[in-house]
Amino acid sequence: SAMTPEEITERLQGLADHERARKSLKYFRAEPGGYGHGDRFLGITVPEIRKMMKEFSGIPLATVETLLQSGFHEIRLFALLHLAARFEKCDEAAREKIYRIYLANTKYINNWDLVDTSAPPVLGGYLQGRDKGILFDLARSDSLWERRMAILATLRFIRDDEFGDTLAIASILRQDPEDLIHKAVGWMLREIGKRDRAVETAFLDRHCREMPRTMLRYAIEKFEPGERRKYLCRIVRISPIRDDLWL
């Protein structure tokens, strides 16, 4: 018989570890004012979640969607890892269903680990060979997590040596106010560089002057020291006294 969302939740809650949950609050910035503010943690490790996924591999997608709406971070992670794993194995009709569930529930996909484990396989996987317009909408969202989904989804295209969407979305996000976006964009640019350094450096040559330092640092992490210095020295420092001296 199929397990209900409540029964699966109960099984996962049985793995709770309060000390680890306390550490997770800090790690995922769930304290007041943090980007994960208000989230609740059980303190379950990812390997434990993956083991549980194997046990419940055949559950209905409606059950997974209910779990994705859980107040507990690790139960949402369980649902997302399940959707990602299932997406790889299922037919087109089920893939479309998983994609729809994903987009209908983005407000529950609200921390970097949740986004990073699911956006490339589900969003990127579904949009491979399709119109990517939705990613450009997400890139312009007020939600930090939707913007991170937009750039992370393109990891799936980068792995097929398709860089255009990543570069276009990086360009939209290059002045984003959020550090977590700077890191994600820099990381995707670095992934492009692993496959085609010339494509990455052409983008950096055009945009590095207006990039946040963190974004650039992540993007050039694998460069030779001399090359790294060359890019870091190009960042415009605005003088507090007279802006025009620096232009």
Side-chain angles (χ1 to χ4, degrees), residues 25-174:
L25 276 176
K26 273 195 151 51
Y27 186 61
F28 291 107
R29 306 276 174 84
E31 61 278 356
Y35 52 67
H37 176 51
D39 206 350
R40 293 156 68 205
F41 292 83
L42 292 165
I44 312 174
T45 67
V46 174
E48 285 174 321
I49 293 172
R50 287 193 185 280
K51 210 163 130 191
M52 200 66 100
M53 274 168 56
K54 287 198 176 74
E55 193 180 329
F56 299 121
S57 59
I59 54 179
L61 284 173
T63 300
V64 185
E65 184 166 17
T66 302
L67 294 169
L68 179 51
Q69 297 167 358
S70 169
F72 289 108
H73 185 99
E74 294 92 339
I75 294 176
R76 299 199 302 285
L77 182 58
F78 169 90
L80 289 163
L81 288 170
H82 178 100
L83 291 178
R86 189 149 168 175
F87 188 91
E88 291 302 317
K89 297 191 201 71
C90 64
D91 63 14
E92 255 337 288
R95 284 184 169 189
E96 167 132 16
K97 211 179 228 169
I98 289 170
Y99 171 74
R100 301 271 165 234
I101 288 172
Y102 195 91
L103 282 184
N105 289 281
T106 56
K107 71 164 184 274
Y108 302 104
I109 308 169
N110 57 355
N111 214 311
W112 57 264
D113 61 321
L114 303 175
V115 171
D116 296 6
T117 52
S118 62
V122 176
L123 280 186
Y126 184 77
L127 294 170
Q128 187 57 310
R130 289 187 167 89
D131 182 279
K132 313 285 194 297
I134 182 72
L135 294 183
F136 291 81
D137 297 340
L138 292 170
R140 294 187 171 92
S141 166
D142 291 337
S143 155
L144 153 64
W145 307 117
E146 290 191 344
R147 299 198 303 278
R148 188 160 170 122
M149 278 169 210
I151 190 69
L152 255 296
T154 72
L155 181 57
R156 178 72 180 67
F157 317 143
I158 293 172
R159 297 207 164 130
D160 288 332
D161 291 324
E162 292 168 20
F163 309 131
D165 295 296
T166 308
L167 297 172
I169 291 168
S171 187
I172 292 170
L173 295 174
R174 69 179 189 268

